[in-house]
Amino acid sequence: MKTSFAAALRGLCLCAAAVAIGGCATGPTDSADALTGPLSIAQQGSFFVGGRDVHSDTLSTVPNYANSGTVTVDQMYVHYQVPTHAKPLSLTLIHGCCLTGKTWETTPDGRMGWDEYFVRHGFPTYVIDQADRGRSAPDIETVNAVKLGKAPVSQLPGLFAASHEAAWAIFRFGPEYPQRFPGEQFPIDAQNGLWQQMVPDWIASLPTPNPTVPALSQLAQKLHGTVLISHSQAGIYPFQTAALSTQGIAGIVAIEPAECPSATADLTPYTKMPILVLFGDYVNLSPRWAPRLKACRAFVDAATQAGGHVQLVMLPDVGIHGNTHMMMQDRNSLQVADWILNWIGTHVGTPTMTAGS
Amino acid sequence: MKTSFAAALRGLCLCAAAVAIGGCATGPTDSADALTGPLSIAQQGSFFVGGRDVHSDTLSTVPNYANSGTVTVDQMYVHYQVPTHAKPLSLTLIHGCCLTGKTWETTPDGRMGWDEYFVRHGFPTYVIDQADRGRSAPDIETVNAVKLGKAPVSQLPGLFAASHEAAWAIFRFGPEYPQRFPGEQFPIDAQNGLWQQMVPDWIASLPTPNPTVPALSQLAQKLHGTVLISHSQAGIYPFQTAALSTQGIAGIVAIEPAECPSATADLTPYTKMPILVLFGDYVNLSPRWAPRLKACRAFVDAATQAGGHVQLVMLPDVGIHGNTHMMMQDRNSLQVADWILNWIGTHVGTPTMTAGS
């Protein structure tokens, strides 16, 4: 394992081993070039992974639709694009709390999203909607069972919608709504475009691990080598996926994970692929994020000691300042994307060379 | 109005005035050509239209998320692609009941969806998720209000999930599950790919007109000339949109609408743009669809008498057999797409020439 991983690193790029910023021959092409001109797509489309059939007698509380029958739930929607002259390594984008795959598309102020930017850099790119979110159907049986008097109110699912005011602090636009951190990069004038993309979250009513996790495992195996790029609440999913099977996981990029694996867990799966845990700015000013960062540091230290190639990077430490939790939508989002692509180019082998694939 | 509409028709194509199938110089290019080779995209992305801010005290029933705050609901998600060398006329695809914009993407058996096919034919193509469906957030406040004891059970929203068995008959795969109509074209071996894309429907808890309707009106005006292509439960939306304002609506293609405007309504808006109402096969064998077809015929007759350019076409009458309600996913889906593109090429003017734009 170690040998092939080292070979992959040697075969790739001789940038500084630790944290490379730009200047790497295998890094992305110049941003300006990548942003202009027609986008040439070899293949695009969508499909679902996973799901299970459930028979229910509480499917409907409206006329004309039957109460009893079979529905499919817990599947995961995947939209993908493969550019012409694609690299063999693909990227899988896994959105966070209260959001959908829209997270990675056009920014609230109308700039190119990472979904297209990564395709323009040659990566087959897969964007998911988590199970029970967005185009992946949630299971409404229990809501109907309560309405029909077949179940007590206490069985209603635990749901939440993050408010603008709560999201403001969670996304670190500032200490609290509507104050801003100095130098903060979110395009705040277009905030409505973010509020429009937030959706209710059924996660508290779902099993652990979230059905998204086995679906990600199926997807990774289908792709024969993909970097699982997660955000926020989904931060733990790539790790849980790797714990199920390392097959098909060429690397993990956890962007501001709400949770890292425990430092005292079995860390063996996390020694099988390069891992980046990435945080933005103002983290220690946030009572929500500071302890999460601390826990992730403990994981990274332990996984490194266990022989893993695991890094935790704070963007300000590599000269990129002002990033919020929504760094894929910040005004400098493509600068952050370039940095991540350089990290991938430096640290992740091609699928055939990657340990665990 | 009539003059410019006639001029648009003259300026376009001299195919048979009534129902043209193929052979039209302005029709789509050959299917085989359109299906092969890289897809060249000038612009792609996504945005939301509409929505309203709501202050609520029942946003959450789980820890760590506040109960009180502001959320945005009733917005409509739009994903779009503009090919290089695009035509000035765009197409807007509006999915039906229990489904999302996924309807128009890759078919359950993995063939190209109409979303890409239309782009490959030069049309800027806009795919929506109806308000409160898919990536467009539903409003869960009342579910939480009931769980928190702040509202009676009777206020739970009316929700339904169409079962496989119910959908089988509604989508006319056969008279009832699992019987099939002879010669029916749905790729039934891949039915799981359809069940995976079905989502719960909140429509009964939404106002009339559905918030999707004013959002479609905003979108049409933004696009300066688009054909609203609806399916099934959304069939009435383009008509309701035209009743709000005909601005930006270059034409309407209602695929198996669950409802047409009443024949006794004010039909003036429907004389301002070419309209096609399209049905597949086996309609008169369906107790659900036969009366809807009859009502649509009455509308079409009345709108024609009122001076409209309105057609109702049954696919078997133009030589295309075996189509279910899910004709955009049937095995001959691209044959149906070609027929629709020919109808549009023949009957819909370019945006600057179209009445009402």
Side-chain angles (χ1 to χ4, degrees), chain B residues 158-237:
Chain B
L159 302 180
F160 66 98
S163 68
H164 306 176
E165 298 84 354
W168 186 280
I170 295 169
F171 295 168
R172 294 200 318 283
F173 299 158
E176 64 179 305
Y177 181 86
Q179 297 167 29
R180 297 183 65 186
F181 289 124
E184 176 255 288
Q185 293 269 19
F186 190 78
I188 216 77
D189 290 346
Q191 62 183 283
N192 188 50
L194 173 59
W195 308 146
Q196 287 171 313
Q197 66 187 258
M198 299 189 71
V199 297
D201 201 315
W202 295 64
I203 197 169
S205 65
L206 298 176
T208 300
N210 187 288
T212 305
V213 171
L216 284 173
S217 185
Q218 277 188 56
L219 179 64
Q221 292 178 51
K222 176 189 167 90
L223 297 181
H224 300 293
T226 191
V227 182
L228 299 178
I229 302 181
S230 66
H231 182 229
S232 193
Q233 165 255 313
I236 194 69
Y237 293 174

Side-chain angles (χ1 to χ4, degrees), chain A residues 131-133 138-143 157-160 200-206, chain B residues 138 140 143 159 200 202:
Chain A
D132 298 69
R133 200 92 65 81
D139 186 353
I140 50 125
E141 286 172 87
T142 55
V143 178
L159 301 181
F160 66 97
D201 201 315
W202 296 64
I203 198 169
S205 64
L206 298 176
Chain B
I140 50 124
V143 178
L159 302 180
W202 295 64

Side-chain angles (χ1 to χ4, degrees), chain B residues 182-350:
Chain B
E184 176 255 288
Q185 293 269 19
F186 190 78
I188 216 77
D189 290 346
Q191 62 183 283
N192 188 50
L194 173 59
W195 308 146
Q196 287 171 313
Q197 66 187 258
M198 299 189 71
V199 297
D201 201 315
W202 295 64
I203 197 169
S205 65
L206 298 176
T208 300
N210 187 288
T212 305
V213 171
L216 284 173
S217 185
Q218 277 188 56
L219 179 64
Q221 292 178 51
K222 176 189 167 90
L223 297 181
H224 300 293
T226 191
V227 182
L228 299 178
I229 302 181
S230 66
H231 182 229
S232 193
Q233 165 255 313
I236 194 69
Y237 293 174
F239 297 106
Q240 291 173 331
T241 305
L244 283 182
S245 167
T246 58
Q247 217 179 338
I249 307 178
I252 292 175
V253 175
I255 298 171
E256 299 217 347
E259 184 185 355
C260 282
S262 165
T264 58
D266 173 13
L267 300 175
T268 314
Y270 316 124
T271 63
K272 307 297 187 193
M273 73 285 292
I275 295 173
L276 169 67
V277 178
L278 186 68
F279 278 88
D281 214 335
Y282 320 108
V283 179
N284 284 321
L285 300 176
S286 164
R288 182 179 286 254
W289 288 105
R292 291 173 171 179
L293 170 61
K294 191 177 168 190
C296 282
R297 275 199 201 284
F299 158 71
V300 168
D301 291 346
T304 302
Q305 283 215 324
H309 183 88
V310 186
Q311 290 188 316
L312 187 148
V313 172
M314 308 294 295
L315 284 175
D317 292 345
V318 297
I320 302 178
H321 297 278
N323 282 104
T324 72
H325 186 58
M326 298 303 292
M327 58 181 74
M328 73 294 288
Q329 301 182 355
D330 283 345
R331 286 192 303 272
N332 63 339
S333 58
L334 299 187
Q335 185 187 16
V336 178
D338 282 344
W339 192 90
I340 291 172
L341 290 179
N342 263 317
W343 187 91
I344 290 170
T346 309
H347 297 277
V348 181
T350 56

Side-chain angles (χ1 to χ4, degrees), chain A residues 38-41 44-50 53 59-62 64-65 68-72 75 77 79 81 84 97 100-102 105-106 116 127 129 134-135 137-138 140 143-144 146-147 153-154 156-165 170 192 195-200 202 204 288, chain B residues 38-41 44-50 53 59-62 64-65 68-72 75 77 79 81 84 97 100-102 105-106 116 127 129 134-135 137-138 140 143-144 146-147 153-154 156-165 170 192 195-200 202 204 288:
Chain A
L39 173 62
S40 183
I41 299 291
Q44 65 174 207
S46 62
F47 56 88
F48 286 87
V49 180
D53 286 354
L59 292 179
S60 174
T61 59
V62 306
N64 291 328
Y65 282 91
S68 295
T70 313
V71 290
T72 303
Q75 59 275 17
Y77 172 76
H79 189 272
Q81 292 198 102
T84 51
C97 162
T100 70
K102 166 63 186 161
E105 297 177 354
T106 313
E116 180 179 342
V127 178
D129 281 357
R135 289 177 170 179
I140 50 125
V143 178
N144 285 349
V146 172
K147 190 170 172 84
V153 165
S154 60
L156 283 173
L159 301 181
F160 66 97
S163 68
H164 305 176
E165 297 85 354
I170 295 169
N192 189 49
W195 309 145
Q196 288 171 313
Q197 66 186 259
M198 298 189 72
V199 298
W202 296 64
R288 182 179 285 254
Chain B
L39 172 61
S40 183
I41 299 291
Q44 66 173 207
S46 62
F47 56 88
F48 286 87
V49 180
D53 286 353
L59 292 179
S60 175
T61 59
V62 304
N64 289 329
Y65 282 92
S68 296
T70 312
V71 290
T72 303
Q75 60 276 17
Y77 172 75
H79 188 272
Q81 292 198 102
T84 51
C97 162
T100 69
K102 165 63 185 161
E105 297 177 354
T106 313
E116 179 179 342
V127 177
D129 281 358
R135 289 178 171 179
I140 50 124
V143 178
N144 285 349
V146 172
K147 191 170 172 84
V153 165
S154 60
L156 282 173
L159 302 180
F160 66 98
S163 68
H164 306 176
E165 298 84 354
I170 295 169
N192 188 50
W195 308 146
Q196 287 171 313
Q197 66 187 258
M198 299 189 71
V199 297
W202 295 64
R288 182 179 286 254

Side-chain angles (χ1 to χ4, degrees), chain A residues 175-217:
Chain A
E176 64 180 306
Y177 182 86
Q179 297 168 29
R180 297 183 66 186
F181 288 124
E184 177 254 288
Q185 292 269 19
F186 190 78
I188 216 76
D189 290 347
Q191 62 183 282
N192 189 49
L194 173 59
W195 309 145
Q196 288 171 313
Q197 66 186 259
M198 298 189 72
V199 298
D201 201 315
W202 296 64
I203 198 169
S205 64
L206 298 176
T208 300
N210 189 288
T212 305
V213 171
L216 285 172
S217 185

